[in-house]
Amino acid sequence: MSIVTINNNKVLGRIKPVHSAMGFISTSVRGEIRWNKNVLSHIDQIGMPYVRLNGVGGRYGSNVFVDVTNIFRNFDADEFLEESYDFAFTDWVIWECQLRGVKPIFRLGVGKEPDHWLKYYNIDPPKDYAKFARICEHIILHYNIGWHNGFKAGIKYWEIWDGPDNAKAVKDNACWKGTKEEYFEFYRVIANYLSECFAGKGWKFGGYGATGIDLEDKDNYSKEFFEDFVKYVTAEETKAPFDFFTWNAITECPETNVKVANYIRETLDNVGLTECENICGCWKTNVVDPSNIKCASVIGANLASWQNSCVSKAMFSGIAAGSKGGLFGPTVSAAGVPSYGYYVMQAFNKLYKLGFQVEAVSDDADVYAVAGADVNKVSVLVTNYSDEEKEVALSTIDVPKNKGTATIIKELDLENMTAEERRSIAIIRSMWIDGPIRFKMSPNEVRLIEFE
């Protein structure tokens, strides 16, 4: 018997926006611009609080989205002139974010070039760092101040480049064809300039989408890069603002991801960066087919772990239709059909909307739990992160128990399901509670129980 204890008297803080996303809705121009309303309505139901605008449009940003090289297409042009900028497609992305209440983390840089060994285009260090800083200034002016018929979007997070630690050898690096020291200097110039330009606005400047911190590898370059970088930006002679740090999780294992998050927090704190936000900018499942129930438990377990960790936000990378291990069907014909992971994200959003986290403790390492509450309601998301059936008992302290609802996300059993249940992967059942709460969880099942 696995016991999960919920203590409604012990408030741990706010539910974090760990069900945010990296990228955007799809991975092509046609998909981005002509995406059907059905899928967008599904996205709305997830309640995605933040989106990290990295990899929007796929490779090279489809030559139109977000990348500085897509917005400012000729580096030799005059950065002070409106006609030097092409905001059209990125404006659409920001507009959709605003319509849906999603807050962007805007990446000021360029995307990864996977085929860089054949030819690369935009991943050299900019030839004039100061000019690049002024270009970034005008991008921020457009989206936050309204310059050039722009927005007053209030974008708070501005990320400087992505993945400069992709490989130690410059020739192997698919994100930054420069040395570690060149990126450090580049960051220092850009971050200091932008911070001075927009002093007092409360906007944050950081980076840098670390690509692969591995604590088990003593020669791990990403770890070396990070430790040297934070020393550089805190040294008196090379000081630069570093308001948030984004990094990519390299495994789907919740326990490993939390260990990396703790290492990052400790490293930042040790150099005095106690106010620097710790943000997982990309995490995913290793399950190829999103219609595999394993996707549900990987997502559920990680959401619970991120909430209980030292990260402030976490960005899931499988938001695009057809993504491996993502939220929607794996084929073109099923690209708009929600899969198991979608309903787990939707369930976590119900906790997020409650506002506050209350204590939920599991005595089983394979059973993950996270609970949320407001003044009238308590809900708990329970995940069986194993391939075995589990019998679970809920022990509650000061939790209302007159009635409740169980949303069950488990492998479809078409032969034993009602017609109504077949219409949705998430089976919703009302429950009257007049005694102990016990239930069996099938392998990789995720269950949201809402007490009213």
Side-chain angles (χ1 to χ4, degrees), residues 270-306:
N270 285 344
V271 294
L273 290 169
T274 56
E275 299 302 313
C276 179
E277 278 193 60
N278 183 355
I279 299 175
C280 178
C282 175
W283 66 278
K284 59 185 178 181
T285 79
N286 293 332
V287 183
V288 174
D289 184 353
S291 59
N292 184 331
I293 187 60
K294 187 68 178 177
C295 270
S297 67
V298 171
I299 292 172
N302 275 283
L303 288 172
S305 289
W306 291 130

Side-chain angles (χ1 to χ4, degrees), residues 91 100 124 160 166 227 233 239 241:
D91 278 1
R100 294 180 157 72
D124 274 320
I160 299 170
N166 180 253
E227 291 175 359
V233 296
K239 207 163 194 176

Side-chain angles (χ1 to χ4, degrees), residues 74-127:
N74 175 11
F75 195 80
D76 294 324
D78 187 336
E79 69 271 26
F80 295 99
L81 297 179
E82 292 183 355
E83 54 264 34
S84 299
Y85 295 82
D86 184 350
F87 289 111
F89 284 81
T90 306
D91 278 1
W92 178 83
V93 172
I94 300 303
W95 176 247
E96 287 292 340
C97 287
Q98 289 199 302
L99 283 178
R100 294 180 157 72
V102 181
K103 299 174 183 178
I105 295 177
F106 198 110
R107 195 256 288 117
L108 296 166
V110 300
K112 183 178 181 180
E113 298 191 12
D115 301 320
H116 66 104
W117 54 269
L118 180 64
K119 185 177 182 179
Y120 63 90
Y121 296 90
N122 301 316
I123 54 178
D124 274 320
K127 58 187 178 183

